[in-house]
Amino acid sequence: MTKLDRSRIAVMNIHYQYHPFEKFLDAMERHGIRNVDLWAGYPHFLVPDATYREAAELRRELDRRSLNPICFTPKQGGYPLNIAAEDPVIRQRSLDYLLKCVEIAAELGTPMLQLLPGWGYYGKSPEEARKRACEGLRRVAERAGSLGITAILEHLQIIESNLALTRGDLAAMLREADTQHLKAVVDTCHMAVAGETLTEYFGELGDKLVHVHLNDSDQLPLGEGKLPIGGYIQELEQLGYDGYVSLEICSRLHYIDPDAALAVSLGTLDRLLS
């Protein structure tokens, strides 16, 4: 059994997006969090306009605060980004964006880069869109691997994508992308919507599953949803998982006072870990 503790917990800044990035960094120091999962979106870090000098400056600021960036998670789930797009202009723009994300991640020194599967038109068979997605994912993952970065793919829900909705879909996309540099991440919220378990994910994906998002239902702060977070922690420990675990809050109601939302999640987590 591998005990989960605060040293392997990372917090994502996505729910601080209506506040200055410095407020998130201050909160990490105040709560004693050392690992951060860097969501890159406006206004915190806008990849298309960002320079590598700005990325280097961000890395120096993280170092100054003794914060460890464990993953680079660029915004990519909505307009105008879609790696599986039928429109070749949008698909190329999305690919160029993600390839720049690889270079930014290298500048920041993050060991992982999170990717999403994109989506195809819901009124059409998803097979051609999935092929386009896998081709793009392969190119991004290969470039990431050449720089010592592991690309990790997350499946979504039907309201976000029609290409990867279950552990089986995720495993199939990894096979089709056919590169050792593309691995998997499981989000417990998406997992629960699919009616699946952590044991099933690790059983199907094995050592290709390298990261975990520990999220409550509807991606609420931990303890405010309906999912058995304590049971997930026990399951991860019994499975011997020894990687990082990211906390992610994507409930817009909680973007108003992100500090309060984070305090709820960390309070719940600390009670469960103890």
Side-chain angles (χ1 to χ4, degrees):
M1 180 178 290
T2 303
K3 182 68 175 174
L4 180 63
D5 58 32
R6 275 279 197 116
S7 70
R8 292 196 285 123
I9 299 299
V11 173
M12 189 182 292
N13 54 299
I14 189 169
H15 76 294
Y16 278 80
Q17 64 183 269
Y18 292 155
H19 300 264
F21 187 53
E22 291 74 15
K23 182 169 183 174
F24 167 74
L25 298 179
D26 290 343
M28 296 302 95
E29 290 189 298
R30 187 167 60 254
H31 287 286
I33 297 295
R34 287 291 168 256
N35 305 309
V36 292
D37 191 328
L38 292 173
W39 173 80
Y42 177 80
H44 292 177
F45 196 91
L46 191 59
V47 170
D49 296 335
T51 66
Y52 298 114
R53 175 178 291 182
E54 289 171 335
E57 290 172 354
L58 174 55
R59 179 57 193 263
R60 285 193 292 271
E61 178 62 11
L62 295 173
D63 288 344
R64 186 183 71 79
R65 295 174 182 258
S66 298
L67 295 175
N68 174 35
I70 60 101
C71 187
F72 189 61
T73 302
K75 179 175 175 55
Q76 59 194 287
Y79 177 88
L81 299 168
N82 181 10
I83 198 171
E86 189 171 309
D87 183 329
V89 174
I90 297 299
R91 188 165 68 252
Q92 187 61 50
R93 181 182 298 167
S94 302
L95 180 60
D96 291 343
Y97 168 84
L98 291 173
L99 288 170
K100 183 175 181 181
C101 288
V102 173
E103 307 301 322
I104 295 292
E107 194 71 46
L108 291 169
T110 62
M112 294 185 289
L113 169 70
Q114 183 174 325
L115 302 175
L116 297 179
W119 54 273
Y121 288 125
Y122 280 47
K124 294 185 176 183
S125 168
E127 291 187 10
E128 291 303 315
R130 189 178 293 116
K131 289 179 182 178
R132 293 191 295 268
C134 289
E135 179 186 1
L137 291 168
R138 182 186 308 114
R139 290 182 61 184
V140 175
E142 289 288 337
R143 177 57 181 158
S146 73
L147 295 174
I149 299 167
T150 299
I152 56 175
L153 181 64
E154 176 184 12
H155 82 65
L156 300 172
Q157 302 177 38
I158 191 60
I159 57 174
E160 300 165 305
S161 174
N162 57 350
L163 302 187
L165 304 175
T166 67
R167 71 182 191 278
D169 295 338
L170 188 56
M173 288 195 76
L174 293 186
R175 287 194 298 271
E176 189 169 343
D178 191 25
T179 170
Q180 63 178 334
H181 300 298
L182 184 63
K183 306 294 184 181
V185 51
V186 58
D187 183 308
T188 55
C189 176
H190 302 330
M191 176 190 80
V193 169
E196 299 176 321
T197 69
L198 286 167
T199 298
E200 290 172 333
Y201 274 77
F202 279 89
E204 174 115 12
L205 293 159
D207 60 5
K208 293 181 180 178
L209 183 52
V210 298
H211 191 47
V212 173
H213 288 175
L214 184 64
N215 291 332
D216 213 327
S217 58
D218 298 319
Q219 294 181 308
L220 292 164
L222 295 184
E224 289 195 358
K226 301 177 181 179
L227 297 183
I229 303 301
Y232 293 158
I233 291 173
Q234 292 179 357
E235 200 171 357
L236 288 171
E237 292 177 341
Q238 291 167 356
L239 288 164
Y241 176 69
D242 60 0
Y244 289 108
V245 172
S246 289
L247 307 185
E248 178 185 13
I249 299 171
C250 294
S251 165
R252 287 188 175 272
L253 176 64
H254 295 87
Y255 291 5
I256 301 169
D257 189 350
D259 286 340
L262 179 60
V264 169
S265 276
L266 292 178
T268 298
L269 184 68
D270 285 341
R271 287 193 298 274
L272 294 172
L273 292 180
S274 64

